[in-house]
Amino acid sequence: MTNTVLRLSGITKRFGPLVANDAISFELGRGEVIALLGENGAGKTTLMNILFGHYVSDEGTVEAFGKQLPPGDPRAALDAGIGMVHQHFTLADNMTVLENIALGTQSLWRPSLDRAAARERIERLAADFGLSVDPAATVSTLSVGERQRVEILKALYRDARILILDEPTAVLTPAETDALFRTLKLLVAKGLSIIFISHKLHEVMAVSDRVLVLRSGRLSGERETKSTDRKELAALMVGQEVKPAEVTPVHAGEPLLVLDGVSTARHNGAGLDEVSLTLRAGEITGLAGVSGNGQAALAALIAGTQRPTGGRISIAGQAVGDWSPRAALGHGIARIPEDRHAVGTIGDMSVTENVIAERYGSSRFSRMGFLDWKAARRFAEEIIADYDVKCPSPEARIRLLSGGNMQKLILGRALDPEPAVILASQPTRGLDVGAVAYVHRMLLAARERGAAILLISEDLEEILALSDRIVVMSKGRLSPPSARGERSIRELGELMAGHGEERSDHAA
Amino acid sequence: MRLEPKPAPSIGVTLLFPVAAIAATLLFTSLLVLAAGASPLSVFYLVAKGAAGSQFALFETLTRATPLIFTGLAVAVAFRAKLWNIGAEAQLYIGGVVTVVLGTGALPLPAPILIPVIIIAVMLAGGLLLLGPAVLKTRFGVDEVVTTLLLNFIVLLFVSMLLEGVLKDPMGLGWPQSQKVIADAQLPRIIQGKRLHYGFVIAIVSAIVVWVIMKKTVLGYEMRAVGHNPEGARFVGIPVNRVLMKTALLSGGLAALAGFSEVSGLKGNLTLDLSPGYGYSGIVVAMLAMLNPLGVIASAIFVAGIFVGADAMSRVAKVPSYIADVMVATSLLTMVVAILLTRFRVRWR
């Protein structure tokens, strides 16, 4: 670890009054994996964007392989051998893997790609690093895990010697995560250096040699992975000890939402196939499963954005008639959507306009077709205070908020009317430790109050920690429910993989 | 070159950018003026004088601005909800048709009743004309840019057919024009002997009403939400398709008012040259106003001033009045750049 490939010195970046990065310095050695750990909004992504030339820092320099990089020039970063895999992929969906990877590496004046050479090179790289993917496949047909492999291949194809991975596991299944980690080991063995950005402690412990912890834009700690533990890192990250959510015994009550043999069309993966499910008051029902097996369809159904093609939905004992988002809200269903940016909020509208979005038509916020902006603003201020949202003002565009604060606003909007039924779809995806704990506390408090909660999550630990009953979804069908602790992780894993489908006919 | 988003600019900066855009426009067009062999400063002076240098010029500019306010509002409303209404020209002509159908003696009512009746009918007709493309968009995903644009030509040919047929003025010496509207259907002049008529007042009131709708009402909130993020709007329970229908009715209705105001306030009858492209200029007007309904008043007067001023200038300075089209088009481009700069910071390398 003696030869340094990358050196950041005194990087400072301000956005108006906000200091996103405050005099951050570190070095990366050849063949080393550094984990950059920090809550959302701690400045990880900003730092990497400066390193890669997307942003220009106000102070400080970046040096790669002994040469200083000109600020604000991604081309120079690429040429210096720095490759970045973004959290949100940057692939052209309608083109093939090969075209995506070779895109931009050849002169525009050439009439066509040298496909044979490109293909050979991609296949060699894929074989060397365990990144199996068909170069001729169209990107739109690939799974999320495969797309990520294409992104990594793209960087390697451009001779990257330093690879930056921004929250690479946020979208992966456990098996895909393991495959990614194996690839990283192979890359390091070949002498590449890796910066791994994450806020998941167990991953950081698993892959890194050294951990840098960022908090509020500052480097709050630097540890050898061998000589630290999750508890210490968590403390460095949030500045205090994080207590896991405490779960009190369950007092299950009346069934509040009952699905009876409901089927739906496909929606981001499988549709529902005669699914029956009962959500009871005072109970959290956890829905586990591999992404794309019908969770999105179930979430859309309960949220009201998708209509059933068969079967019956009853709420509090009454079969529902016409089904729509408004009907769902009218029946007292609170919805926390999976995608905060595209669905949960309207980015270019203000915090105030967003918090009233589900209830702007109620007499509280409007009269005779006119909105009562004073009442709306008061409500926004209440939510900001009650749910501890950090934002400049209720007039700020919600796009400017961090993921955690956006989620707190969505929680506030959904939970404030004390809903009877709560649909929480991936409520903690992409959130930091502090925000995750907050979301969990809120869900448990709603459970105490007697709400019936459906928690859809790809994080099995989260499901196990919170759920009173667990159902597993596979290929659009549900497993029979199991009580807390009844099934082992291995058994749940088997159900997720699609075994035990036959038994789903007995689902409650 | 890179664009970085920046936080919302202050009001001062927001107001500064249109000014900078206009300055840049003058700079660019002065090159063309030089090419035409005239002095840019004197040409711009003559344009300004022709647009606002006398009482006559000022009234002429305001008269010309009146239809542009209506079409500008129509576009601003529709674009806010991301309903791309390029068909204000067609809606304007339909407004003119309805005005002459009802206003040439078919309804023998006194003016205080007849004019409101015509206004309602005109708005309904214009709204329904845009409802078609809106329904095609929401039902079948047909691009409304295409349908509304093509409707302009269909409607113009339809009007031509009417003016050669049922609406043709028997006393018109064979010209394709309609009969004049009766006195009770005419909008009075604001000042006796000047061309400026009460259509201008209706336009200002419309702008204020639209501003109130966008800012204060549930409908305006829904329209903005649908425009910014239709999927998000649907999720929170906003009836997206219904909002688009209402937007279409409002937008089409406003554009049709331009036709009513031109026929009833200025021309008196319907001809095929009722509009020299007011429907299309409405897009420029709305963009210059950054889709703000009150800004539409200012930008409509600005655009009208350039056209009126350039006419006057070309008579004196021998520079073709087409320079007005260049100025308006350039100002649209510089304004788009200015809007971009208010939202993003540009980084060079």
Side-chain angles (χ1 to χ4, degrees):
Chain A
M1 304 292 158
T2 46
N3 41 4
T4 300
V5 295
L6 185 74
R7 176 180 288 123
L8 274 74
S9 335
I11 298 286
T12 298
K13 174 77 183 170
R14 297 182 198 89
F15 291 109
L18 180 86
V19 184
N21 286 157
D22 191 358
I24 293 177
S25 306
F26 70 85
E27 291 176 3
L28 176 66
R30 188 168 182 279
E32 189 186 27
V33 180
I34 283 189
L36 200 56
L37 184 68
E39 299 204 40
N40 280 331
K44 300 173 303 225
T45 303
T46 303
L47 186 62
M48 288 306 109
N49 277 326
I50 289 169
L51 164 56
F52 197 65
H54 282 316
Y55 291 168
V56 179
S57 64
D58 296 320
E59 286 160 39
T61 55
V62 180
E63 229 176 77
F65 301 100
K67 276 205 295 271
Q68 192 173 328
L69 290 181
D73 188 1
R75 193 85 239 169
L78 277 171
D79 292 344
I82 300 174
M84 185 150 176
V85 176
H86 290 274
Q87 204 173 344
H88 304 286
F89 301 146
T90 51
L91 298 172
D93 281 354
N94 55 347
M95 295 172 84
T96 64
V97 169
L98 186 145
E99 287 163 340
N100 265 287
I101 292 174
L103 198 69
T105 58
Q106 289 184 345
S107 163
L108 282 174
W109 301 108
R110 280 188 62 139
S112 67
L113 280 171
D114 186 354
R115 283 172 190 274
R119 191 186 171 96
E120 195 186 320
R121 181 127 185 261
I122 291 168
E123 278 170 351
R124 202 173 53 238
L125 285 170
D128 282 357
F129 298 111
L131 293 161
S132 70
V133 57
D134 173 13
T138 310
V139 166
S140 60
T141 63
L142 300 184
S143 73
V144 173
E146 287 172 313
R147 284 177 205 216
Q148 187 174 63
R149 295 207 278 274
V150 176
E151 285 279 7
I152 296 173
L153 279 172
K154 217 164 98 183
L156 297 178
Y157 192 88
R158 287 164 170 73
D159 295 316
R161 305 297 300 155
I162 300 168
L163 200 58
I164 306 168
L165 299 158
D166 191 3
E167 308 265 358
T169 61
V171 291
L172 300 185
T173 63
E176 285 172 329
T177 303
D178 289 343
L180 172 68
F181 288 175
R182 279 196 298 278
T183 296
L184 296 187
K185 294 238 154 68
L186 290 171
L187 291 170
V188 170
K190 287 267 160 82
L192 271 81
S193 309
I194 292 169
I195 300 180
F196 181 92
I197 304 175
S198 182
H199 54 248
K200 291 190 188 156
L201 294 167
H202 59 277
E203 288 173 0
V204 165
M205 295 300 293
V207 294
S208 68
D209 301 312
R210 198 148 54 93
V211 187
L212 302 173
V213 188
L214 279 183
R215 188 170 77 227
S216 319
R218 273 169 219 252
L219 209 53
S220 63
E222 186 177 344
R223 298 283 184 278
E224 294 289 328
T225 310
K226 284 188 294 260
S227 58
T228 184
D229 57 27
R230 285 163 70 157
K231 220 171 135 194
E232 186 191 19
L233 291 178
L236 283 171
M237 210 164 130
V238 296
Q240 70 214 14
E241 295 256 340
V242 186
K243 277 188 236 115
E246 275 178 41
V247 181
T248 53
V250 61
H251 323 278
E254 295 294 299
L256 292 182
L257 182 134
V258 179
L259 302 183
D260 188 7
V262 174
S263 303
T264 69
R266 292 172 59 82
H267 181 85
N268 288 348
L272 301 184
D273 181 9
E274 297 191 4
V275 162
S276 296
L277 175 71
T278 303
L279 302 181
R280 288 174 192 282
E283 213 177 52
I284 295 181
T285 304
L287 178 74
V290 178
S291 176
N293 271 285
Q295 296 96 321
L298 181 63
L301 175 81
I302 296 178
T305 51
Q306 192 173 23
R307 289 202 176 90
T309 52
R312 217 172 43 163
I313 308 172
S314 347
I315 293 165
Q318 297 273 311
V320 300
D322 194 31
W323 195 235
S324 68
R326 244 185 211 188
L329 286 164
H331 281 104
I333 299 179
R335 298 101 33 90
I336 298 160
E338 180 175 344
D339 191 332
R340 287 186 284 278
H341 302 270
V343 177
T345 57
I346 296 167
D348 279 321
M349 292 177 84
S350 70
V351 168
T352 303
E353 288 171 315
N354 271 284
V355 291
I356 64 164
E358 289 182 335
R359 286 194 284 160
Y360 65 91
S362 72
S363 59
R364 179 170 174 191
F365 299 118
S366 66
R367 231 159 288 124
M368 319 259 297
F370 281 82
L371 283 165
D372 183 349
W373 285 118
K374 274 198 197 122
R377 196 192 151 103
R378 269 200 305 278
F379 179 56
E381 281 165 350
E382 261 172 56
I383 298 287
I384 289 169
D386 293 355
Y387 289 82
D388 189 28
V389 182
K390 288 192 189 69
C391 75
S393 91
E395 269 74 53
R397 277 185 294 156
I398 203 163
R399 183 184 294 288
L400 300 170
L401 269 55
S402 73
N405 284 312
M406 220 183 254
Q407 191 72 331
K408 284 178 176 178
L409 270 180
I410 292 173
L411 273 177
R413 175 174 87 188
L415 301 184
D416 180 76
E418 308 220 322
V421 178
I422 298 168
L423 162 71
S425 191
Q426 316 283 1
T428 59
R429 176 184 277 184
L431 297 186
D432 56 69
V433 181
V436 167
Y438 186 84
V439 171
H440 288 173
R441 278 204 303 280
M442 284 292 141
L443 291 178
L444 288 168
R447 165 184 179 269
E448 273 307 279
R449 169 173 73 66
I453 299 166
L454 177 64
L455 171 67
I456 302 178
S457 177
E458 278 158 29
D459 183 348
L460 207 49
E461 281 188 36
E462 179 174 46
I463 297 262
L464 291 169
L466 296 182
S467 310
D468 301 305
R469 286 189 311 149
I470 298 176
V471 287
V472 179
M473 185 154 248
S474 166
K475 295 178 189 147
R477 314 202 66 160
L478 274 186
S479 75
S482 57
R484 185 185 291 275
E486 195 183 307
R487 284 199 186 111
S488 68
I489 292 185
R490 206 175 56 81
E491 285 170 318
L492 290 172
E494 275 180 13
L495 286 171
M496 285 164 74
H499 310 298
E501 240 173 277
E502 313 76 43
R503 284 177 285 164
S504 65
D505 298 333
H506 312 293
Chain B
M1 185 184 121
R2 299 193 47 78
L3 298 174
E4 289 178 16
K6 58 184 188 189
S10 66
I11 291 178
V13 172
T14 310
L15 291 178
L16 187 74
F17 273 91
V19 175
I22 290 166
T25 302
L26 293 181
L27 208 66
F28 288 130
T29 43
S30 60
L31 295 176
L32 279 178
V33 172
L34 282 174
S39 142
L41 278 181
S42 71
V43 163
F44 293 144
Y45 170 73
L46 287 171
V47 170
K49 197 175 145 205
S54 65
Q55 202 192 38
F56 170 81
L58 202 60
F59 281 141
E60 199 50 37
T61 296
L62 295 183
T63 308
R64 187 78 81 97
T66 302
L68 290 176
I69 295 175
F70 286 121
T71 54
L73 287 174
V75 172
V77 162
F79 280 20
R80 192 52 99 192
K82 296 241 163 78
L83 179 71
W84 305 113
N85 175 16
I86 316 294
E89 190 78 1
Q91 293 137 24
L92 178 153
Y93 271 99
I94 285 297
V97 168
V98 172
T99 306
V100 296
V101 165
L102 297 179
T104 49
L107 294 177
L109 297 167
I113 301 173
L114 182 58
I115 286 177
V117 166
I118 293 179
I119 286 179
I120 290 166
V122 159
M123 289 193 75
L124 215 57
L128 289 175
L129 186 63
L130 185 51
L131 199 61
V135 169
L136 286 175
K137 172 193 168 86
T138 52
R139 275 286 166 78
F140 306 109
V142 182
D143 191 336
E144 75 276 21
V145 172
V146 175
T147 49
T148 56
L149 180 66
L150 293 183
L151 262 179
N152 289 340
F153 304 103
I154 294 169
V155 166
L156 204 61
L157 289 168
F158 173 67
V159 171
S160 170
M161 182 189 85
L162 292 178
L163 291 181
E164 296 286 1
V166 289
L167 288 183
K168 189 166 186 170
D169 180 7
M171 311 300 283
L173 301 170
W175 293 102
Q177 63 184 42
S178 76
Q179 281 183 290
K180 294 252 177 214
V181 294
I182 58 173
D184 280 330
Q186 280 177 16
L187 288 170
R189 301 286 151 104
I190 292 175
I191 298 166
Q192 212 61 46
K194 298 279 190 291
R195 272 156 52 90
L196 188 63
H197 52 89
Y198 271 91
F200 180 70
V201 176
I202 299 175
I204 301 289
V205 171
S206 300
I208 294 168
V209 169
V210 170
W211 181 80
V212 169
I213 289 174
M214 297 310 293
K215 206 84 181 173
K216 307 275 183 193
T217 69
V218 169
L219 176 62
Y221 171 78
E222 290 175 330
M223 284 164 62
R224 285 184 287 129
V226 168
H228 283 310
N229 180 354
E231 205 188 331
R234 193 167 103 82
F235 178 81
V236 295
I238 294 173
V240 175
N241 289 354
R242 221 180 313 155
V243 170
L244 285 173
M245 299 299 136
K246 289 180 190 170
T247 308
L249 286 174
L250 182 59
S251 170
L254 285 164
L257 279 182
F260 156 75
S261 142
E262 286 296 282
V263 170
S264 187
L266 197 62
K267 304 279 175 67
N269 63 356
L270 176 62
T271 56
L272 274 180
D273 58 1
L274 181 68
S275 157
Y278 289 137
Y280 300 105
S281 303
I283 299 170
V284 182
V285 168
M287 292 305 291
L288 284 178
M290 297 196 260
L291 306 188
N292 181 319
L294 297 181
V296 162
I297 299 175
S299 67
I301 291 173
F302 170 72
V303 170
I306 288 181
F307 279 116
V308 171
D311 278 344
M313 174 276 298
S314 74
R315 285 193 289 272
V316 181
K318 302 283 185 290
V319 173
S321 64
Y322 291 119
I323 195 76
D325 292 302
V326 177
M327 286 176 82
V328 169
T330 311
S331 66
L332 174 64
L333 295 179
T334 53
M335 194 59 204
V336 170
V337 172
I339 292 172
L340 185 87
L341 292 177
T342 58
R343 303 238 175 103
F344 299 94
R345 184 177 290 117
V346 179
R347 296 278 191 199
W348 298 96
R349 288 184 53 86

